[in-house]
Amino acid sequence: MTEKQYRGRIAPSPTGLLHIGHAVTFWRAYERACAAAGKLVLRIEDLDRDRCRREFADAIIEDLHWFGLDWDEGPEIGGPFAPYIQSQRRSRYLEAWEKLRLGGLIYPCKCSRKAGRDFGDFIVWRRDDVPAYQLAVVVDDAAMRISEVVRGKDLLVSTFRQLLLYRALDLLPPRFFHTSLVVDESGKRLAKRHGSLSLRALKENGLAPEELRARYMSKS
Ligand code: GLU
């Protein structure tokens, strides 16, 4: 990919309300796209049908706007690489899967996702016929010409898996920028279970976006 234009993305999974930890990472992606005078893409990663809900996707979009974020392409505004909702992009994942299969690079396996060792083989297509996150994200980032992926450090192992997929699919990888995770007073990572730290709850408690950014961005 030529570095003509910076293209970043934010890719929330609508499994719940947006958490401050994610919002901070997305803000970082937004800042980096703005600093490079580039474009930012919003992609909804809703492949996990049991856990994702349309209402959460709507709420995430609303909360991100409230937080001060904006993007150039996405499900509600369209763009040259639409659709921007993963559940509508299945044929692209199948194509990639077929390429891996024809190349003899994948095999049927009974392992569950949880069974994977960090650096062993990993799942590219799930038993319940859903493309795995690793495959979908590579296919989409490449198709949407993303030049830099900004994500939390917790996804470092995923990044390496994805680099293997880029190579196997003969695609040029983007750059990766890993952000520190937001932690609580005891140094523990803030996870979704901290319900009070959803952007929505913080908003309802009267906190302003600027205040939240000042409070949480300094640590990331
Ligand atoms: N949907 C993933 C998440 O919310 C995207 C992460 C990524 O690929 O950067 O964790």
Side-chain angles (χ1 to χ4, degrees):
M1 187 189 315
T2 51
E3 284 300 309
K4 268 191 235 125
Q5 190 187 40
Y6 180 102
R7 287 181 60 80
R9 50 75 152 176
I10 51 179
S13 302
T15 55
L17 288 172
L18 196 72
H19 190 268
I20 185 68
H22 275 121
V24 161
T25 304
F26 293 160
W27 185 263
R28 208 44 106 206
Y30 171 68
E31 274 184 338
R32 290 183 64 81
C34 290
K39 299 260 187 247
L40 190 65
V41 172
L42 171 72
R43 184 173 70 231
I44 299 292
E45 305 211 319
D46 62 344
L47 288 176
D48 197 334
R49 283 172 296 222
D50 295 340
R51 295 175 60 226
C52 294
R53 283 207 251 137
R54 176 67 207 265
E55 307 87 86
F56 287 135
D58 293 342
I60 286 171
I61 290 177
E62 201 181 302
D63 293 349
L64 282 174
H65 280 312
W66 172 79
F67 197 52
L69 266 145
D70 211 354
W71 45 90
D72 305 283
E73 299 166 28
E76 2 71 276
I77 40 181
F81 303 103
Y84 293 92
I85 300 183
Q86 285 195 324
S87 57
Q88 297 173 13
R89 300 177 62 81
R90 187 181 163 90
S91 59
R92 291 152 175 96
Y93 311 134
L94 263 178
E95 222 175 273
W97 175 83
E98 184 65 5
K99 193 167 173 182
L100 294 174
R101 195 182 64 85
L102 290 175
L105 295 164
I106 52 175
Y107 58 91
C109 171
K110 285 190 181 152
C111 298
S112 81
R113 215 159 22 128
K114 292 190 184 83
R117 281 157 296 121
D118 269 357
F119 294 98
D121 290 348
F122 56 90
I123 307 274
V124 293
W125 205 277
R126 289 167 30 172
R127 208 182 318 185
D128 55 358
D129 198 23
V130 175
Y133 155 72
Q134 310 291 358
L135 183 68
V137 107
V138 165
V139 168
D140 287 346
D141 284 336
M144 295 177 182
R145 313 236 176 107
I146 300 304
S147 64
E148 182 179 78
V149 168
V150 176
R151 57 164 59 130
K153 270 188 190 159
D154 55 326
L155 289 176
L156 208 55
V157 172
S158 287
T159 295
F160 284 101
R161 290 175 169 170
Q162 289 164 26
L163 283 168
L164 290 172
L165 284 174
Y166 277 99
R167 200 185 297 167
L169 291 166
D170 202 18
L171 296 167
L172 218 51
R175 284 192 310 269
F176 291 92
F177 183 95
H178 294 94
T179 66
S180 303
L181 303 174
V182 177
V183 292
D184 64 16
E185 301 72 31
S186 62
K188 274 214 202 85
R189 183 184 158 204
L190 293 186
K192 280 191 187 160
R193 64 180 174 276
H194 291 69
S196 59
L197 290 167
S198 72
L199 227 44
R200 191 144 294 207
L202 292 164
K203 171 168 99 178
E204 279 159 12
N205 284 335
L207 282 141
E210 310 77 56
E211 227 172 312
L212 291 175
R213 292 200 296 268
R215 184 184 302 182
Y216 292 104
M217 292 295 294
S218 55
K219 290 183 188 158
S220 76

